[in-house]
Amino acid sequence: MAETENSIAIPQDFDGLKTIILERKAQLPKRLRQVAAYALDNPDEIAFGTAASIATSADVQPSTLVRFAQHFGFEGFSSLQQIFRARLRERTPGYDERLKSLSGNDHSKLESGSIFNGFVAAAHRSLDNIASSVEPEAFERAVNILADAETIYLVAKRRSYPISGYMAYAFGKLKVKYQMVGTAAGIDDDILAMAGPKDAAFAVSFSPYASESVNQAKLLANRKVPVVSLTDSAFSPLAESSKVWFELVEADHAGFRSLSASMAFAMALTVAVAEKRRRVSEDQSME
């Protein structure tokens, strides 16, 4: 296998490229880091676009794309682009065909029906994507971290808030001790001050990231509180503060993103944490 100038093997697939980018992102020059963030957040655009169109979207010069490719050992940008095109060929077919079939439905002739069908199709695509994007080993690590915590701190703002709201409701019903970070009384700092290494946190934020959530996750990590996070990019500021983080990009309809996959993930994580705690409690009672 060929090697880069820095003696790192040239990635042979998208997962390999993503791994190397994440390992080296802190050392990348500003413009190359900008390209890296765009590439990982918009892999389909990299596969389909021209160097000129991609450079415009990433707000860099076309020559920067070439430098980015060569930085990771590729001869040029077109060689790097093949990695992204191969990713598309290997992907399991999604729900695009369902969307096409919905457009032929009689109900889609009505504007409201078309909107409804569009959001349903987007939700299907989101759920299809999450099935392949969440690694079972990482999910198990996240469950263990949260299940071992004395108190689980839930951090979310704006569009992400319904996720923590659901988890708070479910944890209450499942008798798992939690604490919402975000109160009308404005005492978030006082709540965070009670968190310690025996606790854990679950933070959620999607682009454009809520600065308050990012800062709170960083504060908790600095206090040695393990953080599990759900976000939408490998370059999300939440990733830097997290022991385990998950990348989930919701499909959109007409520019509106739902929380279909995010809520499914939150439901699974909440129940898995409660079940893990139940099993541990049973094992301890039998000793």
Side-chain angles (χ1 to χ4, degrees), residues 114-150:
S114 179
I115 293 173
F116 173 79
N117 289 336
F119 276 105
V120 169
H124 277 306
R125 294 200 303 275
S126 293
L127 291 170
D128 187 47
N129 290 336
I130 192 177
S132 59
S133 63
V134 175
E135 297 180 0
E137 295 81 5
F139 189 78
E140 190 65 26
R141 290 199 304 272
V143 169
N144 289 336
I145 289 172
L146 297 179
D148 289 343
E150 290 185 357

mmCIF file of all heavy atoms in Angstrom, residues 114-150:
data_model
loop_
_atom_site.group_PDB
_atom_site.id
_atom_site.type_symbol
_atom_site.label_atom_id
_atom_site.label_comp_id
_atom_site.label_asym_id
_atom_site.label_seq_id
_atom_site.Cartn_x
_atom_site.Cartn_y
_atom_site.Cartn_z
ATOM 1 N N SER A 114 -48.662 16.529 -0.417
ATOM 2 C CA SER A 114 -47.292 16.456 -0.898
ATOM 3 C C SER A 114 -46.300 16.767 0.224
ATOM 4 O O SER A 114 -45.256 16.117 0.343
ATOM 5 C CB SER A 114 -47.093 17.440 -2.056
ATOM 6 O OG SER A 114 -45.773 17.399 -2.532
ATOM 7 N N ILE A 115 -46.621 17.758 1.026
ATOM 8 C CA ILE A 115 -45.761 18.105 2.157
ATOM 9 C C ILE A 115 -45.693 16.936 3.137
ATOM 10 O O ILE A 115 -44.613 16.556 3.610
ATOM 11 C CB ILE A 115 -46.273 19.371 2.865
ATOM 12 C CG1 ILE A 115 -46.112 20.583 1.938
ATOM 13 C CG2 ILE A 115 -45.543 19.593 4.192
ATOM 14 C CD1 ILE A 115 -46.738 21.858 2.482
ATOM 15 N N PHE A 116 -46.850 16.358 3.434
ATOM 16 C CA PHE A 116 -46.898 15.220 4.352
ATOM 17 C C PHE A 116 -46.037 14.070 3.827
ATOM 18 O O PHE A 116 -45.214 13.503 4.554
ATOM 19 C CB PHE A 116 -48.352 14.763 4.528
ATOM 20 C CG PHE A 116 -48.488 13.500 5.330
ATOM 21 C CD1 PHE A 116 -48.399 13.526 6.712
ATOM 22 C CD2 PHE A 116 -48.694 12.275 4.703
ATOM 23 C CE1 PHE A 116 -48.510 12.358 7.450
ATOM 24 C CE2 PHE A 116 -48.808 11.110 5.428
ATOM 25 C CZ PHE A 116 -48.720 11.151 6.821
ATOM 26 N N ASN A 117 -46.225 13.725 2.550
ATOM 27 C CA ASN A 117 -45.470 12.619 1.965
ATOM 28 C C ASN A 117 -43.977 12.905 1.961
ATOM 29 O O ASN A 117 -43.150 12.008 2.159
ATOM 30 C CB ASN A 117 -45.950 12.357 0.531
ATOM 31 C CG ASN A 117 -47.326 11.733 0.494
ATOM 32 O OD1 ASN A 117 -47.750 11.088 1.458
ATOM 33 N ND2 ASN A 117 -48.033 11.914 -0.602
ATOM 34 N N GLY A 118 -43.614 14.159 1.722
ATOM 35 C CA GLY A 118 -42.201 14.528 1.708
ATOM 36 C C GLY A 118 -41.537 14.322 3.055
ATOM 37 O O GLY A 118 -40.418 13.812 3.145
ATOM 38 N N PHE A 119 -42.234 14.713 4.122
ATOM 39 C CA PHE A 119 -41.659 14.549 5.448
ATOM 40 C C PHE A 119 -41.598 13.078 5.857
ATOM 41 O O PHE A 119 -40.653 12.651 6.530
ATOM 42 C CB PHE A 119 -42.444 15.361 6.482
ATOM 43 C CG PHE A 119 -42.015 16.795 6.556
ATOM 44 C CD1 PHE A 119 -42.793 17.804 6.003
ATOM 45 C CD2 PHE A 119 -40.815 17.139 7.155
ATOM 46 C CE1 PHE A 119 -42.383 19.122 6.054
ATOM 47 C CE2 PHE A 119 -40.401 18.461 7.220
ATOM 48 C CZ PHE A 119 -41.183 19.456 6.665
ATOM 49 N N VAL A 120 -42.604 12.310 5.466
ATOM 50 C CA VAL A 120 -42.584 10.871 5.764
ATOM 51 C C VAL A 120 -41.402 10.209 5.061
ATOM 52 O O VAL A 120 -40.685 9.390 5.641
ATOM 53 C CB VAL A 120 -43.909 10.215 5.345
ATOM 54 C CG1 VAL A 120 -43.798 8.694 5.407
ATOM 55 C CG2 VAL A 120 -45.048 10.684 6.247
ATOM 56 N N ALA A 121 -41.187 10.557 3.796
ATOM 57 C CA ALA A 121 -40.068 9.989 3.041
ATOM 58 C C ALA A 121 -38.731 10.387 3.653
ATOM 59 O O ALA A 121 -37.800 9.582 3.729
ATOM 60 C CB ALA A 121 -40.145 10.441 1.583
ATOM 61 N N ALA A 122 -38.620 11.651 4.100
ATOM 62 C CA ALA A 122 -37.378 12.105 4.733
ATOM 63 C C ALA A 122 -37.126 11.335 6.033
ATOM 64 O O ALA A 122 -35.984 10.971 6.339
ATOM 65 C CB ALA A 122 -37.445 13.602 5.015
ATOM 66 N N ALA A 123 -38.194 11.086 6.784
ATOM 67 C CA ALA A 123 -38.052 10.325 8.025
ATOM 68 C C ALA A 123 -37.571 8.911 7.733
ATOM 69 O O ALA A 123 -36.720 8.363 8.445
ATOM 70 C CB ALA A 123 -39.382 10.292 8.777
ATOM 71 N N HIS A 124 -38.097 8.311 6.665
ATOM 72 C CA HIS A 124 -37.652 6.966 6.267
ATOM 73 C C HIS A 124 -36.161 6.966 5.945
ATOM 74 O O HIS A 124 -35.420 6.068 6.362
ATOM 75 C CB HIS A 124 -38.439 6.491 5.044
ATOM 76 C CG HIS A 124 -39.773 5.899 5.370
ATOM 77 N ND1 HIS A 124 -39.935 4.867 6.263
ATOM 78 C CD2 HIS A 124 -41.020 6.178 4.888
ATOM 79 C CE1 HIS A 124 -41.216 4.542 6.340
ATOM 80 N NE2 HIS A 124 -41.896 5.332 5.513
ATOM 81 N N ARG A 125 -35.711 7.976 5.212
ATOM 82 C CA ARG A 125 -34.300 8.028 4.832
ATOM 83 C C ARG A 125 -33.416 8.197 6.067
ATOM 84 O O ARG A 125 -32.343 7.589 6.165
ATOM 85 C CB ARG A 125 -34.048 9.168 3.848
ATOM 86 C CG ARG A 125 -34.719 8.976 2.492
ATOM 87 C CD ARG A 125 -34.071 9.846 1.423
ATOM 88 N NE ARG A 125 -34.078 11.255 1.761
ATOM 89 C CZ ARG A 125 -35.099 12.088 1.518
ATOM 90 N NH1 ARG A 125 -36.207 11.623 0.962
ATOM 91 N NH2 ARG A 125 -35.032 13.365 1.837
ATOM 92 N N SER A 126 -33.859 9.020 6.999
ATOM 93 C CA SER A 126 -33.086 9.232 8.222
ATOM 94 C C SER A 126 -32.943 7.940 9.012
ATOM 95 O O SER A 126 -31.857 7.598 9.497
ATOM 96 C CB SER A 126 -33.761 10.298 9.100
ATOM 97 O OG SER A 126 -33.720 11.565 8.484
ATOM 98 N N LEU A 127 -34.038 7.215 9.144
ATOM 99 C CA LEU A 127 -34.007 5.962 9.903
ATOM 100 C C LEU A 127 -33.169 4.911 9.193
ATOM 101 O O LEU A 127 -32.484 4.106 9.830
ATOM 102 C CB LEU A 127 -35.439 5.457 10.116
ATOM 103 C CG LEU A 127 -36.281 6.309 11.067
ATOM 104 C CD1 LEU A 127 -37.734 5.870 11.032
ATOM 105 C CD2 LEU A 127 -35.740 6.218 12.495
ATOM 106 N N ASP A 128 -33.208 4.922 7.863
ATOM 107 C CA ASP A 128 -32.397 3.985 7.097
ATOM 108 C C ASP A 128 -30.915 4.282 7.298
ATOM 109 O O ASP A 128 -30.092 3.377 7.457
ATOM 110 C CB ASP A 128 -32.749 4.090 5.614
ATOM 111 C CG ASP A 128 -32.053 3.018 4.783
ATOM 112 O OD1 ASP A 128 -32.076 1.851 5.198
ATOM 113 O OD2 ASP A 128 -31.487 3.358 3.724
ATOM 114 N N ASN A 129 -30.560 5.559 7.337
ATOM 115 C CA ASN A 129 -29.160 5.949 7.490
ATOM 116 C C ASN A 129 -28.617 5.624 8.877
ATOM 117 O O ASN A 129 -27.472 5.200 9.021
ATOM 118 C CB ASN A 129 -29.001 7.449 7.222
ATOM 119 C CG ASN A 129 -29.210 7.794 5.761
ATOM 120 O OD1 ASN A 129 -29.034 6.952 4.883
ATOM 121 N ND2 ASN A 129 -29.586 9.035 5.490
ATOM 122 N N ILE A 130 -29.432 5.808 9.912
ATOM 123 C CA ILE A 130 -28.933 5.597 11.265
ATOM 124 C C ILE A 130 -28.612 4.129 11.516
ATOM 125 O O ILE A 130 -27.707 3.792 12.289
ATOM 126 C CB ILE A 130 -29.929 6.121 12.324
ATOM 127 C CG1 ILE A 130 -29.261 6.175 13.700
ATOM 128 C CG2 ILE A 130 -31.179 5.264 12.384
ATOM 129 C CD1 ILE A 130 -30.143 6.747 14.784
ATOM 130 N N ALA A 131 -29.315 3.244 10.838
ATOM 131 C CA ALA A 131 -29.079 1.814 11.027
ATOM 132 C C ALA A 131 -27.654 1.423 10.660
ATOM 133 O O ALA A 131 -27.086 0.489 11.233
ATOM 134 C CB ALA A 131 -30.078 1.008 10.199
ATOM 135 N N SER A 132 -27.068 2.141 9.717
ATOM 136 C CA SER A 132 -25.712 1.801 9.273
ATOM 137 C C SER A 132 -24.643 2.733 9.838
ATOM 138 O O SER A 132 -23.446 2.464 9.704
ATOM 139 C CB SER A 132 -25.642 1.849 7.743
ATOM 140 O OG SER A 132 -25.974 3.135 7.248
ATOM 141 N N SER A 133 -25.036 3.810 10.487
ATOM 142 C CA SER A 133 -24.053 4.790 10.957
ATOM 143 C C SER A 133 -23.690 4.637 12.431
ATOM 144 O O SER A 133 -22.678 5.183 12.873
ATOM 145 C CB SER A 133 -24.567 6.216 10.712
ATOM 146 O OG SER A 133 -25.751 6.461 11.460
ATOM 147 N N VAL A 134 -24.496 3.915 13.199
ATOM 148 C CA VAL A 134 -24.210 3.735 14.629
ATOM 149 C C VAL A 134 -23.504 2.397 14.832
ATOM 150 O O VAL A 134 -24.067 1.341 14.564
ATOM 151 C CB VAL A 134 -25.500 3.787 15.470
ATOM 152 C CG1 VAL A 134 -25.194 3.478 16.934
ATOM 153 C CG2 VAL A 134 -26.154 5.158 15.355
ATOM 154 N N GLU A 135 -22.274 2.455 15.314
ATOM 155 C CA GLU A 135 -21.500 1.239 15.553
ATOM 156 C C GLU A 135 -21.956 0.586 16.862
ATOM 157 O O GLU A 135 -22.012 1.248 17.899
ATOM 158 C CB GLU A 135 -20.013 1.562 15.638
ATOM 159 C CG GLU A 135 -19.433 2.128 14.345
ATOM 160 C CD GLU A 135 -17.958 2.429 14.483
ATOM 161 O OE1 GLU A 135 -17.399 2.196 15.581
ATOM 162 O OE2 GLU A 135 -17.368 2.895 13.490
ATOM 163 N N PRO A 136 -22.275 -0.707 16.832
ATOM 164 C CA PRO A 136 -22.754 -1.393 18.046
ATOM 165 C C PRO A 136 -21.780 -1.278 19.210
ATOM 166 O O PRO A 136 -22.203 -1.123 20.360
ATOM 167 C CB PRO A 136 -22.898 -2.848 17.579
ATOM 168 C CG PRO A 136 -23.142 -2.748 16.099
ATOM 169 C CD PRO A 136 -22.299 -1.592 15.644
ATOM 170 N N GLU A 137 -20.465 -1.364 18.923
ATOM 171 C CA GLU A 137 -19.481 -1.278 20.007
ATOM 172 C C GLU A 137 -19.509 0.099 20.673
ATOM 173 O O GLU A 137 -19.421 0.211 21.901
ATOM 174 C CB GLU A 137 -18.076 -1.572 19.472
ATOM 175 C CG GLU A 137 -17.881 -2.983 18.949
ATOM 176 C CD GLU A 137 -18.404 -3.162 17.534
ATOM 177 O OE1 GLU A 137 -18.842 -2.145 16.929
ATOM 178 O OE2 GLU A 137 -18.385 -4.296 17.037
ATOM 179 N N ALA A 138 -19.623 1.139 19.865
ATOM 180 C CA ALA A 138 -19.683 2.495 20.412
ATOM 181 C C ALA A 138 -20.969 2.689 21.214
ATOM 182 O O ALA A 138 -20.959 3.331 22.278
ATOM 183 C CB ALA A 138 -19.600 3.526 19.286
ATOM 184 N N PHE A 139 -22.054 2.147 20.712
ATOM 185 C CA PHE A 139 -23.335 2.267 21.427
ATOM 186 C C PHE A 139 -23.243 1.574 22.781
ATOM 187 O O PHE A 139 -23.726 2.103 23.797
ATOM 188 C CB PHE A 139 -24.452 1.653 20.585
ATOM 189 C CG PHE A 139 -25.832 1.918 21.122
ATOM 190 C CD1 PHE A 139 -26.446 3.144 20.930
ATOM 191 C CD2 PHE A 139 -26.511 0.930 21.823
ATOM 192 C CE1 PHE A 139 -27.724 3.389 21.438
ATOM 193 C CE2 PHE A 139 -27.779 1.171 22.329
ATOM 194 C CZ PHE A 139 -28.388 2.404 22.133
ATOM 195 N N GLU A 140 -22.592 0.415 22.809
ATOM 196 C CA GLU A 140 -22.445 -0.317 24.072
ATOM 197 C C GLU A 140 -21.589 0.469 25.053
ATOM 198 O O GLU A 140 -21.884 0.509 26.259
ATOM 199 C CB GLU A 140 -21.816 -1.692 23.808
ATOM 200 C CG GLU A 140 -21.840 -2.632 25.007
ATOM 201 C CD GLU A 140 -23.246 -3.031 25.423
ATOM 202 O OE1 GLU A 140 -24.152 -3.017 24.560
ATOM 203 O OE2 GLU A 140 -23.446 -3.354 26.606
ATOM 204 N N ARG A 141 -20.533 1.116 24.568
ATOM 205 C CA ARG A 141 -19.694 1.937 25.455
ATOM 206 C C ARG A 141 -20.497 3.090 26.038
ATOM 207 O O ARG A 141 -20.371 3.416 27.228
ATOM 208 C CB ARG A 141 -18.479 2.483 24.695
ATOM 209 C CG ARG A 141 -17.456 1.435 24.315
ATOM 210 C CD ARG A 141 -16.096 2.075 23.988
ATOM 211 N NE ARG A 141 -16.191 3.081 22.943
ATOM 212 C CZ ARG A 141 -16.104 2.825 21.650
ATOM 213 N NH1 ARG A 141 -15.953 1.579 21.227
ATOM 214 N NH2 ARG A 141 -16.163 3.796 20.755
ATOM 215 N N ALA A 142 -21.324 3.711 25.202
ATOM 216 C CA ALA A 142 -22.150 4.820 25.666
ATOM 217 C C ALA A 142 -23.135 4.348 26.736
ATOM 218 O O ALA A 142 -23.340 5.025 27.756
ATOM 219 C CB ALA A 142 -22.900 5.437 24.494
ATOM 220 N N VAL A 143 -23.742 3.201 26.516
ATOM 221 C CA VAL A 143 -24.688 2.648 27.488
ATOM 222 C C VAL A 143 -23.983 2.388 28.815
ATOM 223 O O VAL A 143 -24.501 2.722 29.891
ATOM 224 C CB VAL A 143 -25.324 1.351 26.947
ATOM 225 C CG1 VAL A 143 -26.106 0.637 28.054
ATOM 226 C CG2 VAL A 143 -26.243 1.657 25.773
ATOM 227 N N ASN A 144 -22.797 1.820 28.755
ATOM 228 C CA ASN A 144 -22.054 1.521 29.991
ATOM 229 C C ASN A 144 -21.712 2.788 30.759
ATOM 230 O O ASN A 144 -21.817 2.825 31.993
ATOM 231 C CB ASN A 144 -20.775 0.755 29.648
ATOM 232 C CG ASN A 144 -21.055 -0.668 29.188
ATOM 233 O OD1 ASN A 144 -22.102 -1.232 29.517
ATOM 234 N ND2 ASN A 144 -20.134 -1.234 28.433
ATOM 235 N N ILE A 145 -21.285 3.826 30.039
ATOM 236 C CA ILE A 145 -20.939 5.086 30.710
ATOM 237 C C ILE A 145 -22.147 5.674 31.433
ATOM 238 O O ILE A 145 -22.066 6.070 32.599
ATOM 239 C CB ILE A 145 -20.396 6.103 29.686
ATOM 240 C CG1 ILE A 145 -19.010 5.675 29.203
ATOM 241 C CG2 ILE A 145 -20.342 7.515 30.285
ATOM 242 C CD1 ILE A 145 -18.480 6.513 28.056
ATOM 243 N N LEU A 146 -23.279 5.722 30.748
ATOM 244 C CA LEU A 146 -24.473 6.329 31.343
ATOM 245 C C LEU A 146 -25.088 5.438 32.417
ATOM 246 O O LEU A 146 -25.605 5.937 33.430
ATOM 247 C CB LEU A 146 -25.500 6.622 30.243
ATOM 248 C CG LEU A 146 -25.055 7.633 29.178
ATOM 249 C CD1 LEU A 146 -26.146 7.814 28.124
ATOM 250 C CD2 LEU A 146 -24.701 8.976 29.804
ATOM 251 N N ALA A 147 -25.035 4.129 32.211
ATOM 252 C CA ALA A 147 -25.618 3.209 33.199
ATOM 253 C C ALA A 147 -24.837 3.225 34.511
ATOM 254 O O ALA A 147 -25.403 2.996 35.582
ATOM 255 C CB ALA A 147 -25.673 1.794 32.636
ATOM 256 N N ASP A 148 -23.532 3.486 34.433
ATOM 257 C CA ASP A 148 -22.704 3.501 35.638
ATOM 258 C C ASP A 148 -22.804 4.818 36.414
ATOM 259 O O ASP A 148 -22.286 4.916 37.533
ATOM 260 C CB ASP A 148 -21.230 3.271 35.259
ATOM 261 C CG ASP A 148 -20.970 1.840 34.815
ATOM 262 O OD1 ASP A 148 -21.806 0.966 35.101
ATOM 263 O OD2 ASP A 148 -19.928 1.607 34.169
ATOM 264 N N ALA A 149 -23.434 5.810 35.831
ATOM 265 C CA ALA A 149 -23.476 7.136 36.448
ATOM 266 C C ALA A 149 -24.470 7.198 37.602
ATOM 267 O O ALA A 149 -25.544 6.587 37.547
ATOM 268 C CB ALA A 149 -23.846 8.178 35.399
ATOM 269 N N GLU A 150 -24.103 7.958 38.622
ATOM 270 C CA GLU A 150 -25.051 8.199 39.711
ATOM 271 C C GLU A 150 -26.173 9.101 39.218
ATOM 272 O O GLU A 150 -27.347 8.874 39.503
ATOM 273 C CB GLU A 150 -24.325 8.833 40.900
ATOM 274 C CG GLU A 150 -23.378 7.882 41.610
ATOM 275 C CD GLU A 150 -22.755 8.487 42.849
ATOM 276 O OE1 GLU A 150 -23.022 9.685 43.126
ATOM 277 O OE2 GLU A 150 -22.007 7.783 43.550
#
